[in-house]
Amino acid sequence: MDKMYSKEELQNRINDEIVRRSAGLRARKPGELYAPIDYSLDVGGKRLRPVLLLMAYNLFSEEIEKALPAALAIEVFHNFTLLHDDIMDKAEVRRNMPTVHLQFSENSAILSGDAMAFLSYQYLLECRSGRMFEVASLFTKTALEVCEGQQYDMDFEHRLDVTEAEYLEMIKLKTAVLLGCSLQAGALLANAEDETAQQLYDFGINLGMAFQLQDDWLDTFGDQKKFGKKIGGDIVTNKKTYLLITALEKASEENKKILDNWLNSTDFDAVEKVASVTGIYNQLGIKELVESKIESYFSEAEKILAHLPVNELNKKFLIELMESMLGRRS
Amino acid sequence: MDKMYSKEELQNRINDEIVRRSAGLRARKPGELYAPIDYSLDVGGKRLRPVLLLMAYNLFSEEIEKALPAALAIEVFHNFTLLHDDIMDKAEVRRNMPTVHLQFSENSAILSGDAMAFLSYQYLLECRSGRMFEVASLFTKTALEVCEGQQYDMDFEHRLDVTEAEYLEMIKLKTAVLLGCSLQAGALLANAEDETAQQLYDFGINLGMAFQLQDDWLDTFGDQKKFGKKIGGDIVTNKKTYLLITALEKASEENKKILDNWLNSTDFDAVEKVASVTGIYNQLGIKELVESKIESYFSEAEKILAHLPVNELNKKFLIELMESMLGRRS
């Protein structure tokens, strides 16, 4: 019987490896280049993407050590995107710590971010696999798509006419493809069939879409205690979420005027704005609409997993992870 | 007899390929991401690095089309570094055109630069070579080194105690390794022996060192008409060049005081500063010192090329390129 690893076991293994690698990074010169990288990796996070890679790998092989460098590569790449996105979005806090461009400098965040992009390839290429060419091509295609997603996200800030389809394409590129890539890369490194690896990619896309829509949902309709952030932040900052975009598409002339007013007003009471916009969302049934959209991605992900030609027992931890990500306990 | 390509033939082939690819890039979405990439590649330049890659390839094979995607990869990577360096250095002009962060925006230069880094891997991976793993590893190591070089360069701005050895290491990382990488990658893709490919790398390092030191030399001692830029720019902006660093190391207490004064003064007459600092350089024999340093790298490069186990006739265009880069006609 092959050893199957739980989410917690994989997270621990990944964190141990990051600690081990960090010591190496801190010894590299120039220190000014590597310190921000160490800072960003050390801050933590759920390590979702490397866990997905290792879980996909573990469906076909128990020798997860062989895929560990690739898992690290995905995590370093993800953190690279955070460094640069945080500059572009002028974000000040990330995981309760100052963002890299504030803690160090903007130039540091640019250059150390660049170094992380290449470091991710260095880690990836450590995996001596016969499928490396496919994995590196997949990783590269995905990285470009993530850049495209970030560009759309920035473009949407200045637009009021973003359609639902455009929004879904944006979150697919910005978030979902990297989950798909993690899973497919894990499967390829374990030498799975191309078709099976592709199914895991599709599973990741659906998981990612549901996950991102849930994030939008939680920001407005979530439970403050569980959510961790202040409810309504997206409404206050005019963030183009799935909620706002579908509301603008569905709103009556009168409600559209009210929404437009809030979107254009710079001097307002935040509590009043959140209550008014949420009120319109409720009138339009946006909550249920998003829930049904999440549900459709979730059940598509479930269906793909059910058809995956892998021992049912081995799917257990992947199903658990999906359910915990989407706040479900079946 | 194999077909050997001259510098001009290779430049033309590379430029044609860039035009062809640019059409593809302009069709990609989102346009806001790809337009700055197209702008940056279209502006031109000497295409030195891809020419070196193809010349090294051409030493062993005439099928240069097979190495063309890798040559493009190096050029796209080089332009990526320019986009990000220009933000960090607050540069306003590049190749007589506004820099990307001024022509578009700083966020554009960050994100489109990132996309170029990944685009360079996408092009590289188009080369279906049995040596691809080695080439991708070399390229990745080099990319990290270039980041290290840029970090040192920025660090040196705030230091007055940079040693000659530190400066040489910085220009090696920032400039020379990419020339070495281009040559080695070309040789590897043509399936040359590892040792021969390594010799070409070493040749590139020496060429790059001589080239960068010559750039420092030209800025102070060059002929304004041939140089294209205003003579003395490095002195006016306190740039830590090989000239300034060796002068600070060699200067008498009195001359050191004069140099320090110029370095710390913010209100000065540029012509007077250039004349005074150049006068000190002349007193200390800096001109001859740099010339002898350039000469030693140049003759080391020549020596490596002479020992390269390749038909002498085939070395012709590489020797010509080296001589034209270093302003010599033997």
Side-chain angles (χ1 to χ4, degrees):
Chain A
M1 173 65 187
D2 285 346
K3 159 78 176 157
M4 297 304 291
Y5 291 85
S6 71
K7 179 180 81 173
E8 290 71 23
E9 285 175 303
L10 293 175
Q11 280 173 331
N12 288 338
R13 185 66 196 89
I14 291 158
N15 282 325
D16 287 351
E17 188 66 12
I18 286 173
V19 168
R20 194 182 73 77
R21 301 254 182 183
S22 287
L25 289 176
R26 277 193 300 272
R28 283 209 208 181
K29 285 184 176 178
E32 290 79 0
L33 183 69
Y34 289 103
I37 301 178
D38 182 43
Y39 175 84
S40 130
L41 292 175
D42 203 43
V43 166
K46 297 183 297 290
R47 313 298 189 194
L48 172 62
R49 292 150 194 86
V51 164
L52 284 172
L53 187 147
L54 292 177
M55 275 195 182
Y57 185 92
N58 196 203
L59 291 174
F60 311 96
S61 165
E62 63 178 358
E63 297 180 271
I64 61 155
E65 292 297 318
K66 287 192 180 168
L68 204 51
L72 268 275
I74 297 272
E75 182 68 7
V76 172
F77 170 81
H78 174 60
N79 279 276
F80 141 75
T81 66
L82 300 182
L83 256 67
H84 283 190
D85 286 2
D86 284 344
I87 304 172
M88 293 183 252
D89 303 341
K90 303 196 189 307
E92 298 182 353
V93 175
R94 166 76 61 189
R95 295 168 185 152
N96 295 316
M97 298 281 279
T99 47
V100 169
H101 63 103
L102 288 186
Q103 179 72 17
F104 298 88
S105 70
E106 203 167 298
N107 281 356
S108 275
I110 294 174
L111 190 59
S112 296
D114 291 344
M116 289 172 87
F118 300 115
L119 199 59
S120 69
Y121 277 95
Q122 200 162 67
Y123 288 173
L124 190 68
L125 292 167
E126 279 183 27
C127 290
R128 300 268 166 172
S129 155
R131 308 293 287 273
M132 181 44 72
F133 186 83
E134 286 164 84
V135 174
S137 299
L138 167 67
F139 181 73
T140 300
K141 172 181 77 87
T142 304
L144 260 176
E145 288 172 342
V146 172
C147 294
E148 292 171 357
Q150 169 68 6
Q151 182 69 54
Y152 278 123
D153 200 10
M154 293 198 300
D155 293 347
F156 289 178
E157 274 174 40
H158 314 289
R159 284 179 48 193
L160 281 174
D161 61 346
V162 180
T163 64
E164 184 188 337
E166 286 180 311
Y167 181 79
L168 294 175
E169 176 68 9
M170 184 276 284
I171 62 172
K172 180 179 165 188
L173 291 168
K174 187 167 169 168
T175 303
V177 295
L178 190 57
L179 305 196
C181 167
S182 302
L183 288 151
Q184 190 176 3
L188 290 172
L189 288 169
N191 218 11
E193 300 282 339
D194 280 340
E195 199 190 324
T196 312
Q198 180 64 48
Q199 285 172 320
L200 277 160
Y201 181 84
D202 296 339
F203 166 73
I205 295 291
N206 282 282
L207 182 66
M209 298 299 286
F211 187 57
Q212 185 57 51
L213 290 175
Q214 179 182 261
D215 207 53
D216 286 3
W217 185 96
L218 283 170
D219 197 274
T220 298
F221 301 114
D223 179 335
Q224 175 108 21
K225 277 179 228 148
K226 287 188 205 161
F227 185 54
K229 287 189 281 188
K230 214 173 166 71
I231 294 299
D234 287 348
I235 292 176
V236 172
T237 59
N238 289 344
K239 196 164 169 223
K240 299 284 172 3
T241 64
Y242 189 74
L243 285 61
L244 178 58
I245 284 161
T246 46
L248 285 168
E249 282 190 348
K250 287 180 173 298
S252 62
E253 279 303 309
E254 198 197 327
N255 274 337
K256 201 167 175 316
K257 258 187 206 152
I258 302 176
L259 285 174
D260 281 344
N261 258 336
W262 283 120
L263 290 170
N264 291 312
S265 104
T266 47
D267 185 29
F268 56 79
D269 178 74
V271 175
E272 193 193 340
K273 179 175 178 179
V274 172
S276 165
V277 174
T278 307
I280 293 175
Y281 289 171
N282 286 336
Q283 271 183 56
L284 297 169
I286 299 296
K287 184 165 182 270
E288 295 71 24
L289 189 143
V290 184
E291 284 166 2
S292 103
K293 197 83 190 164
I294 295 171
E295 184 58 34
S296 83
Y297 284 116
F298 179 78
S299 56
E300 182 62 24
E302 267 187 323
K303 208 170 76 185
I304 296 170
L305 215 50
H307 286 93
L308 203 71
V310 167
N311 178 340
E312 289 307 312
L313 274 174
N314 287 6
K315 296 177 188 172
K316 184 184 149 207
F317 288 125
L318 208 45
I319 293 170
E320 278 185 22
L321 178 65
M322 170 175 68
E323 287 171 351
S324 78
M325 278 173 67
L326 298 174
R328 318 206 175 187
R329 291 284 176 272
S330 63
Chain B
M1 174 64 187
D2 286 349
K3 159 82 176 153
M4 296 305 293
Y5 292 85
S6 71
K7 181 180 79 173
E8 290 70 24
E9 286 175 301
L10 294 174
Q11 281 172 332
N12 288 338
R13 185 66 197 90
I14 291 157
N15 281 326
D16 287 350
E17 187 66 12
I18 286 174
V19 168
R20 195 182 73 77
R21 300 255 182 182
S22 286
L25 288 177
R26 277 194 299 272
R28 283 210 207 179
K29 286 187 177 177
E32 290 79 359
L33 184 67
Y34 288 103
I37 301 178
D38 182 42
Y39 175 83
S40 129
L41 292 175
D42 204 41
V43 167
K46 296 183 298 287
R47 315 298 189 194
L48 173 62
R49 293 151 194 84
V51 165
L52 285 171
L53 187 145
L54 293 177
M55 275 197 182
Y57 185 92
N58 195 202
L59 291 175
F60 310 97
S61 164
E62 61 178 359
E63 298 181 87
I64 62 156
E65 293 297 317
K66 287 192 179 167
L68 204 53
L72 268 274
I74 297 270
E75 182 67 7
V76 172
F77 170 81
H78 174 59
N79 279 276
F80 141 76
T81 66
L82 300 182
L83 257 68
H84 283 191
D85 286 2
D86 284 344
I87 305 172
M88 292 183 252
D89 302 341
K90 305 197 189 307
E92 297 182 353
V93 176
R94 165 76 62 191
R95 296 168 184 151
N96 295 318
M97 297 280 281
T99 48
V100 169
H101 61 104
L102 288 187
Q103 179 72 14
F104 299 88
S105 70
E106 201 165 302
N107 281 357
S108 274
I110 294 174
L111 190 60
S112 296
D114 291 345
M116 289 172 88
F118 300 117
L119 199 60
S120 69
Y121 277 95
Q122 201 162 67
Y123 288 173
L124 189 69
L125 292 166
E126 278 182 26
C127 291
R128 300 266 165 174
S129 154
R131 308 292 286 274
M132 181 43 73
F133 185 83
E134 285 163 83
V135 174
S137 299
L138 167 67
F139 181 74
T140 300
K141 174 181 78 86
T142 303
L144 260 174
E145 288 172 341
V146 172
C147 294
E148 292 171 358
Q150 168 67 6
Q151 182 70 55
Y152 278 122
D153 200 12
M154 293 198 300
D155 293 348
F156 290 177
E157 276 175 38
H158 315 289
R159 283 178 50 193
L160 281 174
D161 62 347
V162 179
T163 65
E164 184 188 338
E166 286 180 311
Y167 180 79
L168 293 175
E169 175 69 10
M170 184 276 282
I171 61 172
K172 181 180 164 185
L173 292 167
K174 188 166 169 169
T175 303
V177 295
L178 190 57
L179 305 196
C181 167
S182 302
L183 288 152
Q184 189 175 5
L188 289 172
L189 289 168
N191 218 13
E193 298 282 340
D194 280 340
E195 201 190 325
T196 312
Q198 179 65 48
Q199 286 171 320
L200 277 160
Y201 180 83
D202 296 339
F203 165 73
I205 295 291
N206 282 283
L207 181 67
M209 298 299 285
F211 187 58
Q212 184 58 51
L213 289 176
Q214 177 181 260
D215 207 54
D216 286 4
W217 185 95
L218 283 171
D219 197 273
T220 298
F221 301 113
D223 179 337
Q224 174 107 22
K225 277 179 228 148
K226 287 190 203 157
F227 186 52
K229 287 189 281 188
K230 216 176 165 65
I231 294 298
D234 287 351
I235 291 175
V236 173
T237 59
N238 288 344
K239 198 166 166 222
K240 299 284 171 4
T241 64
Y242 188 74
L243 284 60
L244 178 59
I245 284 162
T246 47
L248 284 168
E249 280 190 350
K250 287 182 172 300
S252 64
E253 279 305 309
E254 198 197 325
N255 275 335
K256 202 170 174 313
K257 257 188 207 152
I258 302 176
L259 285 174
D260 282 343
N261 257 335
W262 283 120
L263 291 170
N264 290 311
S265 103
T266 47
D267 184 29
F268 56 81
D269 178 72
V271 175
E272 193 191 342
K273 180 175 177 180
V274 172
S276 165
V277 173
T278 307
I280 294 175
Y281 289 172
N282 287 335
Q283 270 183 55
L284 297 170
I286 299 296
K287 184 165 180 267
E288 295 70 25
L289 189 142
V290 184
E291 284 166 2
S292 103
K293 197 82 189 165
I294 294 170
E295 184 57 36
S296 85
Y297 285 116
F298 179 79
S299 55
E300 181 63 23
E302 267 188 322
K303 207 170 76 186
I304 295 170
L305 215 50
H307 286 94
L308 203 70
V310 168
N311 179 340
E312 290 306 312
L313 275 174
N314 287 6
K315 296 177 187 170
K316 184 186 148 206
F317 288 124
L318 208 46
I319 293 171
E320 277 184 21
L321 177 66
M322 170 175 69
E323 287 170 351
S324 78
M325 277 174 69
L326 298 173
R328 316 203 180 192
R329 293 281 177 274
S330 61

